C-alpha cells in the first residue's frame, strides 16, 4: 500500500527516507511488510504523498498501530525507534557479524551480566526499567534457538573477557556461557587479544546485518551514546566488510579463543 502511494506521488524511496529521517532500507522493508513503522511516521509519509483525506489517513495509521502492537517490544514498552529497528534487523537477518572490543556481545550476554552493565550506566534508569531492558535483551537471544537460526560471527576484544562486570562470580558465569554458545554450529566466536596491537577495528564497535532477501542490502550498525547510526551504501558496506574480514584474520582461531576464555576464567 505505502509503496503504491509513494510511486503514484512520484516519490523515490530516498526521498521518503529523507522525509522521516531514516535510512533507505527501512522504507524498503516497511513497504514489504518486513519492518514496523510508527503511526507518526505513517501520517507524515501519507501527507508527503499528498494523501490529505483524514479518514483514509486514520485508517492506514490504525493498520500500522495494529501491526506494531503484535510484538514483545511493545509489551515491554520499547519505544526508541532506532532500537526497535535494530531488533527488527536482528530478527530478519540470516547472517550477523559483530565486533565488540569492550563488552560481551548482546546476543551472548547472561541476564546477570546485562543487569550489571545497565546498573553501571549513570543515565539509567529505575530498577524496574533495568529489569525491562534485561528482559528485552534475553528476548533478543531467542533468535539463536530457532529451527533455522542466523549465522552469528562475533569477535570479542580481550578487554571484554577481563573486565569483571558484576564481579568475579557474574563474570565466571558469563565466560562459561560464552564457551557453551560457541559450541553451537551457527555461532563462531573469536577473541582479539591485547597482543594483536593496532588493528582494523581500532575505531570501535559495529554490527553487520545480512538478509536472505537479495533486494535488501546489508546494513552496518554503529551504536553511540544517544542512538544508533545505520549505513547501507555500497562504500559503507565494503569498508566495514573489509574491516571485519581483517579482524577475523588478526583474531585468535575459534579453538584458541575458547582456550583463552577458559584461561581468563581460571584467573578470576
Amino acid at each position: 500500500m505505502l509503496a503504491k502511494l509513494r510511486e503514484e506521488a512520484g516519490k523515490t524511496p530516498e526521498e521518503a527516507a529523507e522525509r522521516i529521517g531514516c535510512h533507505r532500507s527501512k522504507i524498503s522493508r516497511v513497504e514489504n511488510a518486513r519492518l514496523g513503522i510508527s503511526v507518526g511516521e505513517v501520517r507524515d509519509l501519507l501527507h508527503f504523498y499528498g494523501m490529505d483525506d483524514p479518514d483514509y489517513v486514520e485508517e492506514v495509521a490504525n493498520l500500522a498501530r495494529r501491526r506494531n502492537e503484535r510484538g514483545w517490544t511493545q509489551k515491554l514498552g520499547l519505544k526508541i525507534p532506532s532500537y526497535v529497528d535494530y531488533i527488527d534487523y536482528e530478527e530478519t537477518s540470516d547472517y550477523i557479524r559483530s565486533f565488540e572490543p569492550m563488552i560481551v556481545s548482546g546476543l551472548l550476554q547472561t541476564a546477570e551480566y546485562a543487569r550489571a552493565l545497565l546498573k553501571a550506566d549513570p543515565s539509567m534508569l529505575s530498577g524496574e526499567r533495568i529489569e525491562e531492558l534485561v528482559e528485552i535483551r534475553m528476548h533478543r537471544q531467542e533468535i539463536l534457538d530457532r529451527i533455522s537460526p542466523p549465522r552469528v560471527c562475533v569477535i570479542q576484544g580481550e578487554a571484554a573477557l577481563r573486565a569483571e562486570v558484576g564481579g568475579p562470580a557474574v563474570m565466571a558465569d558469563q565466560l562459561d556461557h560464552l564457551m557453551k554458545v560457541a559450541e553451537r554450529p551457527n555461532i563462531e566466536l573469536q577473541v582479539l587479544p591485547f597482543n594483536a596491537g593496532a588493528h582494523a577495528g581500532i575505531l570501535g564497535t559495529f554490527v553487520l546485518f545480512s538478509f536472505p532477501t537479495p533486494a535488501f542490502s546489508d546494513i552496518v550498525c554503529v551504536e553511540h551514546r544517544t542512538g544508533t547510526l545505520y549505513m547501507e551504501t555500497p562504500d559503507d558496506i565494503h569498508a566495514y566488510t573489509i574491516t571485519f574480514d581483517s579482524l577475523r584474520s588478526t583474531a585468535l582461531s575459534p579453538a584458541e579463543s575458547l582456550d583463552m576464555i577458559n584461561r581468563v576464567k581460571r584467573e578470576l
Side-chain angles (χ1 to χ4, degrees):
M1 179 188 299
L2 286 175
K4 182 180 179 182
L5 292 173
R6 175 181 55 73
E7 291 166 357
E8 289 176 348
K11 305 297 184 183
T12 66
E14 289 80 8
E15 290 172 324
E18 183 177 358
R19 174 72 179 195
I20 62 173
C22 71
H23 38 289
R24 183 194 182 284
S25 67
K26 177 172 179 175
I27 299 298
S28 298
R29 288 170 171 79
V30 166
E31 291 179 349
N32 285 278
R34 296 292 298 273
L35 188 67
I37 185 171
S38 74
V39 172
E41 288 172 329
V42 166
R43 290 195 174 108
D44 194 16
L45 284 177
L46 291 176
H47 180 70
F48 186 50
Y49 300 157
M51 296 290 112
D52 295 321
D53 181 341
D55 292 335
Y56 183 80
V57 169
E58 192 57 31
E59 179 183 350
V60 178
N62 283 332
L63 288 174
R65 186 180 293 110
R66 287 197 295 272
R67 195 296 187 178
N68 291 340
E69 286 172 351
R70 92 286 188 249
W72 50 265
T73 59
Q74 293 299 313
K75 175 185 174 185
L76 293 172
L78 184 56
K79 299 182 178 5
I80 304 170
S82 63
Y83 195 20
V84 174
D85 289 349
Y86 184 95
I87 291 170
D88 274 312
Y89 292 142
E90 210 169 51
E91 290 187 336
T92 56
S93 63
D94 64 349
Y95 184 25
I96 302 171
R97 288 162 285 176
S98 70
F99 172 53
E100 290 282 0
M102 301 303 295
I103 64 172
V104 172
S105 171
L107 285 176
L108 307 183
Q109 292 176 9
T110 66
E112 286 299 323
Y113 180 95
R115 186 174 292 110
L117 281 180
L118 291 167
K119 286 180 177 179
D121 188 336
S123 68
M124 303 299 287
L125 301 164
S126 66
E128 180 180 358
R129 187 57 178 155
I130 287 173
E131 291 308 311
E132 288 175 346
L133 291 173
V134 171
E135 187 174 349
I136 287 168
R137 193 154 300 181
M138 296 303 102
H139 269 291
R140 284 172 50 200
Q141 296 177 9
E142 291 175 1
I143 65 170
L144 302 177
D145 297 320
R146 292 176 182 165
I147 294 175
S148 298
R151 180 185 173 196
V152 177
C153 295
V154 176
I155 299 173
Q156 295 281 179
E158 184 175 345
L161 309 180
R162 294 195 177 276
E164 294 186 13
V165 174
V170 169
M171 201 63 210
D173 286 343
Q174 176 63 74
L175 295 175
D176 272 338
H177 182 66
L178 284 178
M179 289 187 282
K180 288 176 183 175
V181 295
E183 295 174 357
R184 299 189 184 194
N186 62 305
I187 296 178
E188 183 176 296
L189 177 62
Q190 292 180 256
V191 173
L192 186 69
F194 290 144
N195 64 13
H199 53 77
I202 203 72
L203 294 180
T205 300
F206 64 90
V207 181
L208 271 163
F209 294 111
S210 299
F211 304 91
T213 305
F216 295 162
S217 64
D218 288 1
I219 295 288
V220 178
C221 165
V222 178
E223 294 185 75
H224 54 87
R225 185 66 183 176
T226 57
T228 306
L229 174 65
Y230 296 105
M231 295 169 280
E232 59 176 332
T233 68
D235 286 347
D236 291 331
I237 300 304
H238 177 72
Y240 278 90
T241 299
I242 292 296
T243 298
F244 191 83
D245 289 346
S246 176
L247 288 167
R248 289 182 74 181
S249 298
T250 305
L252 300 175
S253 71
E256 292 169 331
S257 298
L258 286 178
D259 288 342
M260 171 171 272
I261 295 170
N262 192 35
R263 186 165 64 251
V264 171
K265 183 195 169 188
R266 292 198 307 267
E267 292 171 1
L268 287 172

